[in-house]
Amino acid sequence: MEQITVLGAGSWGTALAIVLADNGHQVRLWGHRAEQIEEINTKRTNEKYLPGVRLPEKIAGYADLCQALDGVRTVVLAVPTKAIREVLRKVCACIREPITIVAVSKGIEPDTHKRVSEVIEEEMGELLRDVVVLSGPSHAEEVSLRHPTTVTVSSKNMEAAERIQDLFMNHQYFRVYTNPDLIGVELGGALKNIIALAAGITDGLGYGDNAKAALMTRGLAEIARLGCALGANPLTFSGLTGVGDLIVTCTSVHSRNWRAGHMLGKGKKLDEVLESMGMVVEGVRTTKAAYQLSKKLGVKMPITKVLYEVLFDGKDPKEAADSLMSRVKTQEMDDLVNILTEPQREK
């Protein structure tokens, strides 16, 4: 059994802390709000993020980051992607020995276009032993209720990935696979949030299952096109962090990105949506990053393009949806063949 620190006491960080505690590990759950940490320690709850869920005794809340990290060799990083650099700089000021970081936040950094693992490597330097990415179709609300869930872990060092697989594997409800395609695992988990936002918009507009099925299918093609251009294995996108994560995020009311898109489809403005959500909607920043990447690499991503226009240029959501239908006709199989046969970049 191990002492493990989870940075980020939101819904996902807390749910993963529950998994680790159920597996017998002592878990330190760090959050920056003292009142939330007090609630975790005294009431064994985190009502804002996981209402009605009782936390195991093996979870201890910490408001002091250095105390939470003292003597720990494995850290689960569950803070929003926009906060990762700031938090990691504070981590580096607290530790002296290299640590393994398990990255569970999904996104791409705008402007730099770096994946989460690349941001971690850049910020941690010699204080990083390994970075392992955990991704897959996994709503925190369902994990916290011990509903059956499957995820994937990946790393440049697959021995590290297998160690993290062992830490998280729970034979009752949390199954963990490994996948050596780090680029594909990260991109699948990040880019599906874009399509989930778009799916929410079509639902908000009152369109039906036909529209959503088309959006998800063509969205997966976009994800694969950009992923392969960046060096991913196309087969990864047929797995848990591709089609699996896409299904759960586009079809569930638990999905923050779907809920945000749904409000946009109902006519609310982006600022109003983000304020009312109360939680980070990763797909917004990822849409910006993916749009920038698609232009830089010359990759066609029509759904991402029109969603970018809705989010950042004020385009009407219905007009955006209609513009996708009026595109020049093309051949579906040609697109699939191109994804599978175009040479991949070196990983």
Side-chain angles (χ1 to χ4, degrees), residues 22-320:
D22 283 352
N23 289 349
H25 304 291
Q26 294 289 338
V27 184
R28 301 174 184 178
L29 181 57
W30 172 83
H32 60 84
R33 291 192 301 110
E35 63 273 19
Q36 180 192 25
I37 298 305
E38 183 179 2
E39 177 195 346
I40 290 169
N41 289 332
T42 59
K43 298 182 179 179
R44 313 307 305 160
T45 61
N46 191 357
E47 283 293 321
K48 178 179 179 180
Y49 294 101
L50 292 175
V53 174
R54 182 166 180 81
L55 304 183
E57 295 297 327
K58 285 184 177 290
I59 296 176
Y62 282 74
D64 186 295
L65 181 62
C66 290
Q67 287 182 6
L69 293 166
D70 185 32
V72 169
R73 68 175 185 139
T74 303
V75 173
V76 178
L77 187 63
V79 300
T81 56
K82 68 178 182 180
I84 285 177
R85 287 190 185 274
E86 178 186 356
V87 170
L88 289 180
R89 286 166 190 168
K90 293 177 180 177
V91 168
C92 289
C94 289
I95 64 174
R96 296 292 177 266
E97 297 295 327
I99 58 174
T100 295
I101 291 185
V102 185
V104 302
S105 302
K106 302 171 181 177
I108 304 171
E109 190 173 54
D111 303 323
T112 71
H113 309 144
K114 291 183 183 294
R115 306 187 315 276
V116 170
S117 68
E118 293 176 310
V119 172
I120 293 170
E121 289 172 342
E122 187 172 280
E123 290 295 335
M124 294 295 295
E126 294 181 356
L127 289 173
L128 181 69
R129 178 180 288 112
D130 292 294
V131 58
V132 178
V133 170
L134 184 150
S135 186
S138 48
H139 287 311
E141 295 84 354
E142 296 185 7
V143 171
S144 69
L145 296 173
R146 281 81 168 180
H147 290 177
T149 300
T150 55
V151 297
T152 295
V153 290
S154 185
S155 177
K156 291 178 179 177
N157 178 4
M158 288 308 293
E159 288 185 5
E162 289 168 4
R163 186 176 77 82
I164 300 306
Q165 178 186 35
D166 290 338
L167 288 181
F168 279 95
M169 177 76 85
N170 181 292
H171 294 288
Q172 277 70 51
Y173 69 93
F174 201 77
R175 182 169 178 79
V176 186
Y177 291 85
T178 59
N179 184 332
D181 179 20
L182 178 61
I183 295 173
V185 167
E186 283 195 270
L187 291 177
L191 297 173
K192 54 84 185 178
N193 286 331
I194 299 172
I195 310 306
L197 272 170
I201 289 175
T202 61
D203 284 336
L205 289 169
Y207 297 160
D209 294 338
N210 293 350
K212 183 181 285 189
L215 187 69
M216 291 169 64
T217 306
R218 298 310 304 160
L220 185 62
E222 287 193 17
I223 291 171
R225 273 200 297 272
L226 184 61
C228 291
L230 291 169
N233 183 334
L235 293 177
T236 295
F237 303 113
S238 66
L240 290 170
T241 63
V243 67
D245 215 350
L246 187 68
I247 290 170
V248 79
T249 315
C250 290
T251 61
S252 174
V253 293
H254 290 315
S255 167
R256 300 177 197 177
N257 292 280
W258 180 90
R259 296 204 313 270
H262 190 259
M263 286 189 273
L264 289 169
K266 290 291 187 183
K268 294 185 182 294
K269 300 299 182 184
L270 179 61
D271 290 345
E272 184 181 1
V273 168
L274 296 179
E275 184 177 349
S276 67
M277 288 290 292
M279 293 184 282
V280 174
V281 181
E282 293 285 12
V284 174
R285 293 178 85 243
T286 303
T287 298
K288 182 177 182 180
Y291 175 68
Q292 292 171 341
L293 267 172
S294 69
K295 291 179 65 178
K296 177 182 177 181
L297 299 174
V299 175
K300 292 181 180 178
M301 300 185 73
I303 297 172
T304 302
K305 179 178 182 294
V306 298
L307 182 60
Y308 177 90
E309 292 168 351
V310 169
L311 296 176
F312 300 106
D313 295 338
K315 188 169 187 173
D316 177 71
K318 186 178 187 307
E319 181 185 340

